Amino acid sequence: MGAKGLGTEFLEELKSRNNLVQVIQKYIPLERKGRNYWGRCPFHHEKTPSFAVNEEGQYYKCFGCSVSGDVIKFVQEMESVDFMDAVKLLCESCGMRMPEVTRDLGEIAEEKKRKDRLYQLMKECANYYYRQLHGKEGRDALEYLLNRGLSPETIKKFSLGYCPDFNGSIAYLKSRGFSPQEMKDAGVAGDKNGPLYDNLWGRLIYPIVNNFGDVIAFGGRVMEKKSEFAKYKNTAETSIFNKSRNLYGINLLKKLKQEQGIRNVIVVEGYMDTIALHQAGICNAVASMGTSLTKDQARILSRYTDEVLICYDGDAAGQKATIRGLDILAGEKLNVKVISLPDGLDPDEVIKERGREAYEACVQGALPLIDFKLHCLSREFDLNTIDGKRRYTSEALKVIGELDSVTEQEDCLKTLRKDTGSTLESLKRDLERLKENRGNEAYEILPPAPVSGDADADVKAARVLLYCLLTARKPLEDLDKIVPNLSLTAHFQVADYLAECLQKQAKPVPSLVFEYADEAGAAEVTNVLSASEQFSSEEELLRYYEDSLRMFHRRKLEQEIESTSAAFEASEKLDERRKYSAYLMQLNRELRELK
């Protein structure tokens, strides 16, 4: 049985009878350029076509507002209907009969029961970490937080904790009636084919709480300045945690709005930045838990305020992430600004070194979207040279031309005149000429591939691995080697579909994976389907596939060696130590053979 209660055979036939290009052309004109069809996005206002439709893969993606999906998702959005009603409309258009839905109320109730168990488990785990921080084992961790300037009240407010060892939380949760599988489902524990261990052992713990007050994940930070482990490590995405649909501190923001109202929200990049602002009395701060805001996060923020201020690091990568976030927020009709901090400091450092007043002065000087974009552009060129001024003017006019307001355009042209020394009349003429030629230049300024540049190596590798299975380039039996290395919810959803195909011995139909993904995962499914576009040849794609499989296998062995070594050191029983020792020898042998 397929996703959402409909059979995969039915969905496959429905999509084969409703060609995505033909369906979309009923709503907007499309023009073929290269492998894709292009048009102006129907989901946001734009003057330059940035809406791409891939007929072979039967998916669409907008490079302007980042929407993506399949033919069912498109009809849902255009007709403002739910999934089932969109299916009904497509059935009517091609003469198919709508089947009965098999997903019953009992199934839904059982799913809710499973999630409620995970919420309870996470609450118990957070309480355990908090007690450990204030116990003998957490003495150094507590001292570290106090030395960072956090008060006991702030530590309690954010329920900060500590995980002293690899199995203490496991034993505690077991005593509270939770099974090993539930611990793994919640993301707090792993086993890697060995003993069960806490994924965040030896780290400070930052509980992540949703807007309903439920603990849904944890962030962990090592205390040592020099460590072989990553500085920060977060709970992997689970059925109750999707980092792109949550904000750190959103539960406190909800409370603040209920108590006294909110004029605006400040979005920072890290846990400690959020905590430092709250301790300084600036309680309208949340963290995005990543380098760029998502559309779901923007929608969450729009429930609390009309104005959002983004405060990210001031380096080049940080500025690009900030601009992406600004565009996403603006797409949700929010008034957005950027807070620039002095000397490359983060919010925590500004408050510690210069005080709350200095940070509030930065907030008062926040730049609107257009001003920040022009400011970033000006830093890319040498405005002391004629060539630098010309190139800056050309790029700045493209940004100004996207503004709908003539008044705003004129204000920006006056600023550009001051920066470059050009006359206002000549800038206006160049802007008009740009608008006239924009239609001819549209296809050249779009990104060449929809694979996001800021995705880490693991995510890119997972996309390619799943793509090769979806397109039958590699055998479905490889799925068992891939799944343990997945981290994104959308990738697990693709894997669910592939597992069903493997069980039925059926050839995958790539566009069907959209019916296994939730709303937040549609964009990532699109990235999987378009993963081949980053390679120049089939040979290069398949070589990357094999290299990625080896990389994941090597890492799996290294993680097993790490966890087994920890268990060996902690065990005091001779027979257990012999078992761990033999397993370590086996793992090291496999690792040597792999290299």
Side-chain angles (χ1 to χ4, degrees), residues 115-254:
K115 287 187 176 182
D116 286 342
R117 283 282 294 175
L118 297 186
Y119 288 133
Q120 185 60 38
L121 183 153
M122 296 299 275
K123 180 180 179 180
E124 291 282 2
C125 196
N127 289 336
Y128 171 83
Y129 291 144
Y130 182 79
R131 289 195 298 271
Q132 295 304 304
L133 178 67
H134 293 84
K136 181 180 178 182
E137 296 287 343
R139 185 180 304 157
D140 291 341
L142 182 58
E143 184 178 350
Y144 169 85
L145 291 173
L146 295 174
N147 289 338
R148 287 286 305 261
L150 299 189
S151 67
E153 292 76 19
T154 298
I155 293 172
K156 182 177 180 180
K157 178 179 180 180
F158 286 88
S159 301
L160 304 183
Y162 179 62
C163 180
D165 51 47
F166 76 97
N167 62 0
S169 61
I170 306 300
Y172 173 75
L173 291 172
K174 186 177 180 181
S175 73
R176 304 297 292 176
F178 296 101
S179 69
Q181 188 59 51
E182 286 176 320
M183 297 180 210
K184 290 193 285 186
D185 290 344
V188 300
D191 55 15
K192 301 297 182 183
N193 296 326
L196 202 64
Y197 63 92
D198 193 307
N199 283 322
L200 298 179
W201 70 279
R203 295 173 183 265
L204 285 167
I205 303 296
Y206 302 85
I208 299 168
V209 184
N210 65 17
N211 60 330
F212 297 109
D214 301 310
V215 179
I216 54 176
F218 298 107
R221 185 195 190 283
V222 293
M223 293 188 298
E224 297 84 358
K225 290 184 178 179
K226 293 184 179 180
S227 173
E228 58 182 300
F229 303 114
K231 183 178 180 181
Y232 284 99
K233 184 179 180 181
N234 297 323
T235 302
E237 293 194 346
T238 66
S239 62
I240 62 172
F241 172 58
N242 183 319
K243 69 178 183 180
S244 68
R245 304 182 74 176
N246 289 280
L247 292 155
Y248 181 68
I250 193 67
N251 57 312
L252 299 175
L253 189 68
K254 179 179 180 180

Side-chain angles (χ1 to χ4, degrees), residues 32-65:
R32 180 148 199 167
K33 293 282 183 177
R35 71 174 68 187
N36 293 328
Y37 289 81
W38 297 87
R40 289 188 174 88
C41 181
F43 304 118
H44 82 286
H45 176 69
E46 64 174 3
K47 300 175 182 177
T48 302
S50 62
F51 185 79
V53 184
N54 186 293
E55 187 170 29
E56 180 184 2
Q58 289 291 294
Y59 65 87
Y60 62 87
K61 179 178 177 67
C62 176
F63 291 95
C65 66

